[in-house]
Amino acid sequence: MSVTREKILREAFNLFLQSTYSEVSLNDIVKKVGLTKGAFYHHFKSKEELFTELIEKFIIAGQDNVYDGIPRDNLKGFMLSYIDRIAQYIDKIKTEIDDINAKRGIYFFSILFDALRQIDTFGGRVMEMHASEKSIWTEVISNAKKSGEVTSNISDSHLARLFINVNDGVGMHLMLEGRYDDIPGEIYTAWNGLYNMIKTR
């Protein structure tokens, strides 16, 4: 990918973190990047195409492969590896954002809702990622029960949903406050409390 294309994506991402999709015009984007409209169209056919690609680059790509390669035979180890991946993802996103604060945390979620409205396939991608995430956690918990690491009468899928909901809830809460650096530690603390309730004594 060319340096100019990367710059357009990054600068546009920052604009969409400050305003909604409809409020950011093509003129705003080319002015921010320092291009003519003709130069912009050399890289992207439209604002819609640009938005779709930045959602893929900054949102989907970071979530789609977060579980890749993490061993699933031990719940505690899985939790630690996932937290490390989340910390890496946050660090990567921080390098792309000019100024992180609570307001931008709010607009991070605004981008997701804009994507649901603007990109026909985004809702389906989200549902696929959620189904895959639940399947992975269910497998990990099932393996942890089989190995004797944890003991619980709660079904594997319900425990999976508990861990996922804690992750989503804590992450959203802290992002809205702009406390990005606290997310991994706070999620792990909450998860560890849940883990201590089900680990085999």
Side-chain angles (χ1 to χ4, degrees), residues 52-81:
T52 299
E53 188 165 328
L54 72 81
I55 288 296
E56 184 70 38
K57 176 179 174 63
F58 297 113
I59 309 297
I60 294 176
Q63 300 299 316
D64 221 11
N65 58 12
V66 70
Y67 295 105
D68 289 356
I70 299 179
R72 302 178 187 179
D73 57 340
N74 178 272
L75 178 56
K76 186 77 167 192
F78 181 82
M79 288 162 47
L80 288 166
S81 295

Side-chain angles (χ1 to χ4, degrees), residues 132-160:
S132 174
E133 182 177 41
K134 185 177 179 183
S135 175
I136 290 168
W137 274 96
T138 301
E139 178 187 347
V140 171
I141 289 165
S142 175
N143 290 338
K145 283 184 178 180
K146 288 174 185 174
S147 71
E149 179 188 2
V150 300
T151 304
S152 177
N153 292 326
I154 303 173
S155 72
D156 299 349
S157 62
H158 283 146
L159 275 174

